Amino acid sequence: MKNRYLLSMALLASIAFVLLSACTFSPKNHNVYLIPKGYTGWVFIIYHQNSASEIIAQDGTYQYKIGSNGVLKTATEDVRYGITTDDYFYIDEENNRIGLDPDELIHSHTVTKAETQGGLQYPAVESFFVGTEAQLSKNPKVVYPPDVKPIND
């Protein structure tokens, strides 16, 4: 009976160790979103765009430089999943960064995974709103900006 108890406890400890170890191996990403100074509205990062540049880590940080229209197109095929640390900045003409409080000015940060509609494959799109909650309430959520084309079209 004592051996069975010790064997059960060893088995449970082994399972707990494996599960905890698996959780620590999730990729960790540091994302920096550079938004044109004064911009308010929806931001869209559109993945799998062949004519655009890849998002590449520089010193362990992925930098997303958003266009003046709130859109960034990237050749990177999909969103990087895992544990993330996100920082948001307004950036001016001299590349000075002004930190944005994500609790006050960043809302509804979501990812729409790549999906198929009517045989057409649409890319993943990351989106969030920059502005106050009052501004957000006047700007309904758009899943795909109107100019997003299917990947296989």
Side-chain angles (χ1 to χ4, degrees):
M1 183 76 152
K2 185 176 181 183
N3 286 341
R4 197 177 267 175
Y5 174 77
L6 290 174
L7 183 61
S8 296
M9 293 309 292
L11 181 61
L12 284 174
S14 298
I15 291 171
F17 176 78
V18 168
L19 290 174
L20 289 173
S21 296
C23 293
T24 62
F25 291 116
S26 294
K28 295 182 176 149
N29 303 309
H30 181 213
N31 300 320
V32 173
Y33 299 92
L34 304 172
I35 304 159
K37 184 178 178 184
Y39 179 82
T40 58
W42 284 101
V43 167
F44 297 98
I45 301 164
I46 305 167
Y47 292 84
H48 208 284
Q49 303 298 295
N50 294 333
S51 60
S53 305
E54 293 262 345
I55 303 293
I56 299 172
Q58 297 173 353
D59 299 323
T61 300
Y62 295 97
Q63 293 192 14
Y64 298 82
K65 189 165 185 178
I66 309 303
S68 61
N69 62 350
V71 175
L72 169 64
K73 294 182 179 183
T74 177
T76 302
E77 291 193 9
D78 201 0
V79 180
R80 289 174 184 83
Y81 298 97
I83 299 168
T84 63
T85 304
D86 296 336
D87 292 314
Y88 303 86
F89 296 94
Y90 273 143
I91 188 166
D92 65 17
E93 299 80 26
E94 289 89 39
N95 288 325
N96 296 313
R97 294 181 182 188
I98 303 156
L100 296 174
D101 182 347
D103 293 329
E104 296 291 323
L105 295 174
I106 306 298
H107 307 283
S108 302
H109 195 151
T110 59
V111 173
T112 302
K113 293 184 177 190
E115 59 182 54
T116 302
Q117 296 176 2
L120 297 175
Q121 179 72 33
Y122 285 84
V125 175
E126 185 174 354
S127 62
F128 57 90
F129 187 84
V130 179
T132 64
E133 285 188 29
Q135 290 168 319
L136 172 62
S137 68
K138 296 176 186 171
N139 290 278
K141 173 79 169 136
V142 177
V143 176
Y144 283 106
D147 66 336
V148 173
K149 306 267 188 276
I151 298 167
N152 62 345
D153 189 21

